[in-house]
Amino acid sequence: MFIIKALVEKVIELKNHIFILKIFSPEIASIINPGEFLNVKVSDSNYPLLRRPFSICDAEGDFIFLMFNIFGEGTKILAHKHKGDLIDILGPLGKGFNLLGDFDTAILVAGGLGVAPFPYFIRKIGKSKEIHSFIGGKTDKDIITYGMKNITISTDDGSLGIRGNVVELLEQNVENLKSKRIKIFGCGPNAMLRELRELSIKHNLNCEVSTECAMACGFGICQGCPIESVNHPDKYLLVCKDGPVFNMRDIVI
Amino acid sequence: MKKADLSVQVGPLKFRNPVLLASGTVGYGSEMSEFIDLNLIGGIVTKSLSLKPRKGNPPQRIVETPAGMLNAIGLQNVGVEEFIKEKIPFLKKFDVPLICNIAASTYEEYVECTKILTQEDAITAFEINVSCPNVKEGGLQFGNDVKAVGKITAGVKAVTNKPVIMKLSPNVSYISLFAKVVKEEGGDAVSAINTLVGTAFNIITRKPKIYNVNGGLSGPAIKPIALAKVLEIRQSVDIPIIGIGGIMNWQDVIEFIIAGSSAIQLGTVNFIDPAAATTIIKGLEDFCMKQGIEKISELTGSFII
Ligand SMILES: Cc1cc2nc3c(=O)[nH]c(=O)nc-3n(C[C@H](O)[C@H](O)[C@H](O)COP(=O)(O)OP(=O)(O)OC[C@H]3O[C@@H](n4cnc5c(N)ncnc54)[C@H](O)[C@@H]3O)c2cc1C
Ligand SMILES: Cc1cc2nc3c(=O)[nH]c(=O)nc-3n(C[C@H](O)[C@H](O)[C@H](O)COP(=O)(O)O)c2cc1C
Ligand code: FES
């Protein structure tokens, strides 16, 4: 874990208030794994006070990339960063995706900004496995394909891809995919993850998901980020330390 | 030039410097040790322990507010047994005073926890949390009741030879009345303050942002209140005070010491900068040198009003 004041290289608006922040950080770039996250202090002042968690979106050479949308004050400040600004990052944090294991095809399922951790996932997995990406959003404005591969799209209003949500989209394709040894990797809103859980149980598929929770510290000292555990119902797991990526079998969403 | 002497005395307790880490904001030390050398800080106060493990409140437990945060963790902790078995061995490796914080639901549980834990040589002192706003039974009610605080102080003191610090609630009209009863019942020091009761609503759903409805407010937003409480105690009761509340930097520490604190604790700042203690200790050293202050303890209660 490092606390680093890192240099901003650039901020790019992908579309519709969705941004990529490129940061120079060889220390973190060289050790971070897909699905892990960083906790970012967006300003030097007490406003906002707490750090903001962001998944590692990509890492290449000495640079790391974060993907974010303007959600509240903190992300608004981030969007206004410029080349040469210093930004205070803490990481790498948490447990990421398990890219090893008994599968030859990774099914990526992303709702809206849930695509954020996958570009790095795809980079790391390289040519070792096949990738299918299912991306869903409310309308075409919410669909981000940055860094994604082999894409199928759904939108709630049908403005792009099929009409419906992304889990319905996956359901339509799952029988075809089941001929391969597949593993599902999901990231998105809780409602989507819940549907994904049903689907993975119904088809008996191995499934890992990246979860979110309000956080204060991001590294296990505040106990602010509980998630219900299947194996130990008398004890919560911590999203920041035991996750944010969990096997669907282990958590109650 | 000679280095300034940062060591302080809090009743019978000696610390190498006045910077302690507050309960609930350092876990049990292991995560923090990745960022700071625990051997250099004044002391560690561990997360509130109860006799049996507590699961704590469901999410959402945390919400940010202007210059502060609300938390309703609900005293999630590993319980006395696992603390002794799993956490003390790690903490023992460091040369740092270990203050064990206890929070219970009944008078009997406070006494029982202390009785068991006092056997542990690694524990330097106890901090008794009678002021957590986030658990339904006990907690705040005790903190609001002068008689109960007196009874718990006496009961805990009766079963341990180690120093006992009573952690006071700011959610009362006169905190000095509580400090007074702690002194009368043999408590060695008080720490002030715990968090203030607060709440926040989502304006669309009209629901509280925190599952527990209320949470405890901490961070820079509470600093002026904490300072006023420390001052109130200092002006009316002769008991050592550990100041807590919204400390973000060394300047804040000096302010708390001037207002009457012998030592201080860092809380919320650890979440934002887990290395803050180190920076702050260095800042105190430099300040004392520049101001020609030989012993930082000279500053305690040195306000001019
Ligand atoms: C592990 C993890 C990874 C994330 N990765 C990304 C990412 O790659 N891209 C991205 O855009 N966003 C990501 N988020 C969400 C991101 O942290 C929030 O969008 C951000 O905190 C918003 O900050 P703000 O100041 O703009 O919004 P504000 O609304 O002003 O503040 C957000 C506050 O809400 C709290 N909060 C409450 N519920 C949640 C929740 N479910 N999730 C997060 N924060 C919550 C936060 O702790 C914070 O204090 C991630 C969150 C987590 C936990
Ligand atoms: C997330 C969180 C958890 C806390 N848990 C405890 C606890 O278990 N026991 C306790 O006595 N105080 C607890 N506190 C209170 C702090 O120790 C401290 O008194 C308070 O936060 C004020 O200091 P600060 O403004 O520097 O954070 C907690 C505070 C926070 C923010
Ligand atoms: S965010 Fe602090 S423990 Fe997880």
Side-chain angles (χ1 to χ4, degrees), chain A residues 27-38 54-56 58-59 64 91-93 120 124:
Chain A
E27 306 89 335
I28 290 179
S30 60
I31 58 169
I32 197 160
N33 297 305
E36 294 175 355
F37 70 102
L38 303 168
F54 297 96
S55 304
I56 183 78
D58 201 1
I64 52 176
L93 298 169
Y120 191 41
K124 276 285 184 178

Side-chain angles (χ1 to χ4, degrees), chain A residues 147 153 201 204 209-210 220 244:
Chain A
I153 291 172
I201 293 171
N204 192 23
V209 288
S210 181

Side-chain angles (χ1 to χ4, degrees), chain A residues 13-227:
Chain A
E13 181 160 8
L14 288 179
K15 69 195 273 188
N16 188 29
H17 293 99
I18 296 162
F19 297 83
I20 295 282
L21 176 65
K22 182 178 181 188
I23 305 167
F24 178 76
S25 178
E27 306 89 335
I28 290 179
S30 60
I31 58 169
I32 197 160
N33 297 305
E36 294 175 355
F37 70 102
L38 303 168
N39 218 357
V40 180
K41 182 83 174 91
V42 302
S43 77
D44 288 335
S45 76
N46 290 338
Y47 186 71
L49 181 66
L50 299 172
R51 291 174 181 271
R52 298 289 188 256
F54 297 96
S55 304
I56 183 78
C57 174
D58 201 1
E60 190 181 16
D62 291 339
F63 293 95
I64 52 176
F65 300 77
L66 306 182
M67 181 191 289
F68 65 95
N69 64 348
I70 296 192
F71 185 82
E73 276 311 309
T75 41
K76 200 188 287 170
I77 294 170
L78 267 191
H80 286 100
K81 296 282 176 197
H82 297 287
K83 184 178 168 76
D85 287 348
L86 283 174
I87 184 165
D88 182 342
I89 51 182
L90 170 59
L93 298 169
K95 291 203 175 71
F97 294 107
N98 182 5
L99 305 196
L100 307 168
D102 190 22
F103 65 101
D104 51 36
T105 303
I107 311 289
L108 311 183
V109 187
L113 219 70
V115 296
F118 290 133
Y120 191 41
F121 182 107
I122 291 170
R123 181 187 296 280
K124 276 285 184 178
I125 221 158
K127 297 207 163 64
S128 71
K129 318 230 176 204
E130 203 178 305
I131 304 262
H132 289 265
S133 308
F134 293 90
I135 303 175
K138 286 199 184 81
T139 77
D140 61 345
K141 287 199 186 109
D142 305 310
I143 301 296
I144 308 144
T145 54
Y146 177 91
M148 300 300 280
K149 218 166 113 177
N150 211 357
I151 303 164
T152 317
I153 291 172
S154 71
T155 48
D156 293 351
D157 65 357
S159 51
L160 196 65
I162 70 138
R163 181 193 292 268
N165 74 34
V166 70
V167 180
E168 290 162 1
L169 175 67
L170 177 60
E171 179 80 62
Q172 293 169 13
N173 290 275
V174 78
E175 286 304 334
N176 285 340
L177 293 165
K178 268 163 88 180
S179 57
K180 310 172 186 194
R181 290 188 308 139
I182 63 175
K183 180 168 173 185
I184 298 178
F185 297 88
C187 182
N190 277 349
M192 175 202 123
L193 298 185
R194 266 180 234 120
E195 286 190 34
L196 194 56
R197 152 185 237 113
E198 309 251 302
L199 179 140
S200 67
I201 293 171
K202 182 170 148 200
H203 296 277
N204 192 23
L205 297 169
N206 193 1
C207 176
E208 273 182 26
V209 288
S210 181
T211 58
E212 280 192 15
C213 183
M215 292 183 176
C217 70
F219 56 95
I221 58 170
C222 75
Q223 314 282 307
C225 59
I227 187 163

Side-chain angles (χ1 to χ4, degrees), chain A residues 216 221-224, chain B residues 21-26 45-49 61-62 67-77 101-103 127-134 167-168 170 191-196 216-223 226 243-248 256 265-271:
Chain A
I221 58 170
C222 75
Q223 314 282 307
Chain B
L21 305 180
S23 180
T25 67
V26 291
V45 191
T46 49
K47 174 78 190 164
S48 279
L49 279 177
R61 291 181 172 180
I62 299 267
M69 61 176 275
L70 292 168
N71 87 80
I73 309 297
L75 294 181
Q76 172 173 341
N77 79 92
N101 181 302
I102 298 173
E127 181 178 72
I128 306 298
N129 175 6
V130 286
S131 45
C132 179
N134 298 328
K167 183 163 180 180
L168 302 181
S191 42
I193 58 177
N194 208 320
T195 52
L196 290 134
L217 182 63
S218 66
I222 72 168
K223 192 184 90 169
I244 320 170
I247 296 174
M248 297 297 284
F256 269 86
Q265 292 177 15
L266 304 179
T268 302
V269 69
N270 295 318
F271 303 154

Side-chain angles (χ1 to χ4, degrees), chain B residues 76-256:
Chain B
Q76 172 173 341
N77 79 92
V78 298
V80 165
E81 199 182 313
E82 189 177 331
F83 177 73
I84 293 172
K85 247 199 268 160
E86 309 283 336
K87 307 297 176 184
I88 287 194
F90 175 82
L91 287 160
K92 254 188 186 158
K93 290 192 261 180
F94 300 93
D95 171 27
V96 61
L98 180 61
I99 301 174
C100 180
N101 181 302
I102 298 173
S105 314
T106 62
Y107 164 80
E108 289 76 20
E109 191 187 345
Y110 278 111
V111 175
E112 185 61 20
C113 286
T114 315
K115 227 191 227 166
I116 300 171
L117 288 161
T118 196
Q119 322 265 347
E120 296 300 315
D121 292 338
I123 297 174
T124 314
F126 291 105
E127 181 178 72
I128 306 298
N129 175 6
V130 286
S131 45
C132 179
N134 298 328
V135 277
K136 294 261 152 55
E137 76 281 34
L140 195 61
Q141 284 90 318
F142 285 137
N144 262 328
D145 179 342
V146 177
K147 269 204 198 121
V149 170
K151 185 175 165 196
I152 295 168
T153 311
V156 167
K157 275 301 282 184
V159 295
T160 181
N161 295 322
K162 300 186 201 275
V164 171
I165 304 157
M166 299 299 287
K167 183 163 180 180
L168 302 181
S169 168
N171 302 300
V172 297
S173 303
Y174 297 103
I175 200 169
S176 51
L177 298 179
F178 292 80
K180 189 156 162 271
V181 75
V182 169
K183 176 160 172 106
E184 284 165 4
E185 297 300 338
D188 296 282
V190 292
S191 42
I193 58 177
N194 208 320
T195 52
L196 290 134
V197 177
T199 192
F201 284 92
N202 179 317
I203 59 169
I204 305 297
T205 62
R206 303 185 196 177
K207 289 186 178 166
K209 289 187 177 171
I210 287 195
Y211 176 89
N212 191 50
V213 183
N214 286 333
L217 182 63
S218 66
I222 72 168
K223 192 184 90 169
I225 302 170
L227 278 169
K229 299 287 180 192
V230 168
L231 182 63
E232 181 194 326
I233 299 169
R234 175 75 185 187
Q235 288 181 314
S236 37
V237 189
D238 181 20
I239 190 164
I241 306 164
I242 301 177
I244 320 170
I247 296 174
M248 297 297 284
N249 51 42
W250 63 265
Q251 291 91 333
D252 294 340
V253 176
I254 299 289
E255 225 177 325
F256 269 86

